[in-house]
Amino acid sequence: MPSTRRRFLVQTSSLGGLALLAGCAGWNADTPMVPTLEIAIENATEDAHVFHVAVETGDGLGQWASREIPPETREVVEREPDAKYDSVVIHGIVDDQTTRGEILDIDGTDRTEICPRMVFRYNTESGPAILQSSDIRC
């Protein structure tokens, strides 16, 4: 049975729609690996504070790391998510104040590995915040 133009257009538009859905739903999409997550804990106050930080992935919340950071000091903590995830969220607590930050654009890159650098910063005027550095190259 010969194909008609209408049948060809319907088949082509169906395949195109499926391709668009595949991109939106993440089918066949490569999620980049986050081999090491560097979190700089920064105490921008005049007093020492105990910082608590944990990484949450699709597998759940990881172990909390606690560090007492002297005044006006920065210390780096490395965590290893060890797999591919659609999202990575950093949770932080200092002086009973909580904050969280998600690694941005984890799916919006064509790289197979990204190494984001996060900053968990605390000062008494604005409270705790988790920021992401713009440099995500390994």
Side-chain angles (χ1 to χ4, degrees), residues 2-16:
S3 289
T4 64
R5 182 175 179 192
R6 176 185 287 168
R7 186 173 176 193
F8 175 75
L9 289 174
V10 169
Q11 287 175 343
T12 304
S13 64
S14 295
L15 289 173

Side-chain angles (χ1 to χ4, degrees), residues 39 41 50-57 60-68 77-80 89-101 120 128 130:
I39 305 167
I41 301 174
V50 176
F51 289 71
H52 310 278
V53 65
V55 176
E56 180 181 5
T57 64
L61 188 64
Q63 288 201 326
W64 287 88
S66 298
R67 298 270 165 55
E68 183 172 349
V77 173
E78 289 186 354
R79 307 307 274 174
E80 296 180 9
V89 179
I90 292 86
H91 296 272
I93 301 172
V94 62
D95 285 352
D96 296 326
Q97 297 179 54
T98 62
T99 188
R100 66 187 297 273
F120 176 15
I130 294 181

Side-chain angles (χ1 to χ4, degrees), residues 60-123:
L61 188 64
Q63 288 201 326
W64 287 88
S66 298
R67 298 270 165 55
E68 183 172 349
I69 307 297
E72 299 178 0
T73 302
R74 178 183 235 188
E75 184 177 316
V76 175
V77 173
E78 289 186 354
R79 307 307 274 174
E80 296 180 9
D82 289 332
K84 296 182 179 188
Y85 296 105
D86 292 335
S87 70
V88 176
V89 179
I90 292 86
H91 296 272
I93 301 172
V94 62
D95 285 352
D96 296 326
Q97 297 179 54
T98 62
T99 188
R100 66 187 297 273
E102 185 171 353
I103 296 178
L104 302 176
D105 207 19
I106 198 166
D107 286 332
T109 182
D110 58 357
R111 298 175 58 94
T112 57
E113 274 191 7
I114 62 171
C115 299
R117 281 140 181 95
M118 306 300 287
V119 178
F120 176 15
R121 186 171 197 269
Y122 179 66
N123 68 39

